[in-house]
């Protein structure tokens, strides 16, 4: 049941990834040309059409001599010759119709999509909140440094001058970073320590 549900919920890209996953049992990121051709020939289970033969020729032209292909190359074949993997997609449709019907699976996919989008939105909101908190902490720390540089009275009585102090602190931080990352200053510092 779980396999049927998973297979039925795959989108076209997921089906192609699954196909690649099956043909790449050692997870090398490569599938052999003969395995791809055998798989396509088997799922068609009929004499190959000229379109499929043309796809095989294109596959041969992509071969750089090692007889293996990446997922990107398989996707390239699929985009140029969409009929090549057509039986794989038809298998999914037949399974969907034989189990709970197209309407149920369409509803289930839509519900699953909404759930995934909601989870992504929640994750985005968490990340934004985290960034805001980190930014607030940095701003608070910066304001403490600005207050020390300006003095408490000037800090509160002349808020328009705060930005100039912030800009000065940014320049100082940039210079310090440049000095920390510059190998010649590190060598000079090491030489001075000797």
């Amino acid at each position: 049941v779980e396999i049927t549900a998973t297979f039925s919920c795959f989108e076209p890209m997921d089906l192609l990834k699954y196909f690649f996953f099956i043909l790449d049992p050692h997870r090398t990121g490569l599938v052999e040309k003969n395995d791809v051709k055998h798989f396509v020939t088997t799922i068609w289970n009929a004499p190959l059409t000229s379109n499929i033969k043309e796809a095989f020729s294109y596959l041969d032209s992509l071969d750089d001599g090692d007889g293996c292909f990446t997922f990107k190359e398989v996707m390239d074949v699929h985009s140029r010759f969409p009929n090549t993997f057509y039986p794989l997609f038809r298998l999914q449709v037949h399974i969907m119709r034989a189990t709970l019907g197209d309407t149920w699976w369409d509803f289930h996919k839509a519900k699953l999509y909404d759930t995934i989008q909601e989870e992504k939105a929640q994750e985005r909101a968490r990340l934004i909140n985290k960034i805001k908190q980190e930014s607030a902490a940095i701003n608070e720390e910066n304001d403490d440094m600005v207050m020390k540089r300006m003095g408490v009275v000037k800090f509160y009585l002349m808020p328009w001058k705060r930005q100039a102090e912030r800009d000065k602190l940014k320049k100082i931080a940039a210079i310090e970073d440049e000095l920390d990352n510059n190998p010649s200053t590190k060598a000079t510092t090491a030489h001075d320590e000797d």
Side-chain angles (χ1 to χ4, degrees), residues 148-166:
K148 286 178 185 174
R149 288 182 57 89
M150 289 178 69
V152 175
V153 175
K154 283 184 179 178
F155 182 82
Y156 286 108
L157 295 179
M158 296 184 224
W160 61 89
K161 290 193 173 188
R162 292 180 196 165
Q163 189 58 46
E165 286 299 321
R166 287 186 189 108

Side-chain angles (χ1 to χ4, degrees), residues 5 15 22 24 35-36 58 62-63 68 74 76 99 110 117 121 125 143 158 176-177 180 184 186:
L15 269 177
I22 289 170
D24 183 22
D35 290 345
V36 173
Y58 181 71
L62 291 177
D63 188 2
C68 295
V74 170
D76 187 28
T99 53
Q117 292 306 314
D143 279 349
M158 296 184 224
E176 287 176 351
D177 284 345
D180 287 345
S184 63
K186 287 181 183 178

Side-chain angles (χ1 to χ4, degrees), residues 5-70:
T6 303
F7 190 77
S8 297
C9 287
F10 281 157
E11 292 297 319
M13 177 70 79
D14 298 326
L15 269 177
L16 289 172
K17 285 179 184 177
Y18 182 67
F19 150 75
F20 193 86
F21 182 80
I22 289 170
L23 295 182
D24 183 22
H26 303 295
R27 307 300 167 252
T28 60
L30 298 169
V31 294
E32 292 186 23
K33 176 172 48 174
N34 292 335
D35 290 345
V36 173
K37 286 183 175 183
H38 177 73
F39 182 84
V40 170
T41 304
T42 303
I43 61 173
W44 270 97
N45 196 24
L48 298 179
T49 64
S50 61
N51 194 14
I52 303 303
K53 290 177 183 174
E54 209 174 310
F56 283 170
S57 295
Y58 181 71
L59 194 64
D60 290 336
S61 74
L62 291 177
D63 188 2
D64 57 3
D66 63 355
C68 295
F69 301 100
T70 63

Side-chain angles (χ1 to χ4, degrees), residues 101-118:
D102 289 338
T103 306
W104 189 90
W105 284 110
D106 289 342
F107 174 76
H108 183 68
K109 283 183 180 182
K111 194 167 111 180
L112 185 62
Y113 177 81
D114 290 344
T115 302
I116 290 169
Q117 292 306 314
E118 186 178 314

